[in-house]
Amino acid sequence: MKSPLLSLPGAVPAEAPDEGVAAHYGDLFREQRALADGSGFVDLSHRGVLSVSGPERLGWLHLLITQHVSELPPGQATEALILSAHGHIEHALYLVDDGETTWIHTEPGNQGPLLTYLESMKFFYRVEIADRTAELAVVHLPAGSIAEVPADTVVRETPQGRDLFLPRADLESFAAVTGPAVGILALEALRVEAHRPRLGLETDHRTIPHELGWIGTAVHLQKGCYRGQETVARVHNLGKPPRRLVFLHLDGSEVHLPPHGTPVRLAADGEEGRQLGFVTTSARHHELGPIALALVKRNVPVDAALLAGNTAAAQEVVVEP
């Protein structure tokens, strides 16, 4: 779904997985500084939006997801995962309940498979699930923003800022009075800086929550009765996830950023050494320079110098081995 804000001056379209919105509007670092200072907004209208209504919605969702939501207070934001039977991450959900409806946004294009799964699990519960992507656009306001939020807008507020579920028809008028528009690359750079994982980038078909530090933020360890719980409990008790997320400071002299999937090796072994992981997201940060997240084997020494492709990389621990 192509955003009308791509017609704004300087807008450069984003590439996968963020097609449909702007990568930037002409000045990446200025846009990053705006977000860091609490100004501007990010067009996330390419993200999928679902709603779950009905008197049993929270109790029903509680049985399916990794987060404790059976008594979720109105207005309190949370995030959750849906796992496979083997504990691998299949969906990431960002939720808020307004007292009558639970609102969810998810990765672009993921709303269809998520809706199909939720519909298959309704059984006799009094819940109604709807794809609201064509109707509602997600807009992000950074922490500290004093931008005015239109009346009756559903807001999901977190330490990182506020996600608005804005009527898609109001997107252009909102942009005209809020500004400046900030591209998705600026938000991604701040996400990498904050070590926050993203489905489809930090995950593959065998990723479990422990590898990415999603325990606590998206996985509640004091609840049960969800698919994949056995794996979560076993790995938590043993304390040995097979891989771990790391933050990389990349060599700033390199002209290009290593793309998603770039092999990570020990620097001592050179470019022909054994692959120990892969780059998940890389970004140019306005203060830190080139940075990245990577998923590496648990037994990679935490003080080892690494290579991301042919780019030297110093690691910081995100998930303890």
Side-chain angles (χ1 to χ4, degrees), residues 50-54 57-58 61 72-77 95-104 132 136 152-156 165:
L50 299 182
S51 64
V52 182
S53 57
R57 67 190 181 282
L58 291 177
L61 281 169
L72 185 67
Q76 180 175 309
L95 306 90
V96 68
D97 192 89
D98 65 5
E100 296 182 353
T101 300
T102 302
W103 300 92
I104 302 167
R132 309 294 287 273
L136 295 172
D152 301 323
T153 300
V154 176
V155 178
R156 180 180 176 274
F165 292 82

Side-chain angles (χ1 to χ4, degrees), residues 238-261:
L238 292 176
K240 294 184 178 181
R243 300 179 295 181
R244 61 186 180 87
L245 189 69
V246 297
F247 176 79
L248 301 179
H249 292 274
L250 302 173
D251 182 355
S253 66
E254 292 291 334
V255 175
H256 71 283
L257 289 173
H260 174 83

